Amino acid sequence: MLSKGRVRTGAPGYEKEQMMTARPGFHLAIPVDDLLRARAFYGGVLGLAEGRSADAWVDWNFYGHQVVTHVVPAARQADAGRNPVDGHDVPVPHFGLILSIDDFHALADRIRAAGAEFVIEPYLRFAGEPGEQWTMFFRDPAGNAMEFKAFRDESQIFAN
């Protein structure tokens, strides 16, 4: 959580200071084609706690944030595109979290043990540069691309 204090937000030229008392949570709703497979992946492989649910959706506690898997009975759509980053083609769109380095490697081990295929295998990106980070990309059973990363120094998350 962010400590209480003033925080600078906004794009250059549009900055403003706001009082922040806690880090806001995010909500993300994503399409899946099978709730049983979503439950096995999000609950079993990622280890997320299940929240409320209905016949066509499940809430997940995504490290304190709300991710909702909604059944959308349609063929999986391809990525909107790919972006070259550090010699890899990053799928767009994607979502994920920044973890501690230990939690990152533990998750990578769980992904491997589950037999899930990595889009980009775990590796150290930008080694020795500002923003050095471990990163990995994989997909859920519905094809949603996910990136998890871990910074050696989290103060470098937005480093130039």
Side-chain angles (χ1 to χ4, degrees), residues 100-121:
S100 71
I101 291 174
D102 289 344
D103 288 345
F104 173 90
H105 289 292
L107 177 59
D109 290 344
R110 288 199 314 273
I111 297 298
R112 284 187 188 99
E117 183 177 326
F118 287 101
V119 175
I120 299 174
E121 290 277 341

Side-chain angles (χ1 to χ4, degrees), residues 30-36 38 54-58 68-74:
I30 57 173
V32 299
D33 56 1
D34 184 321
L35 277 184
L36 288 177
D55 291 343
W57 56 269
V58 176
V68 185
T69 49
H70 286 273
V71 174
V72 178

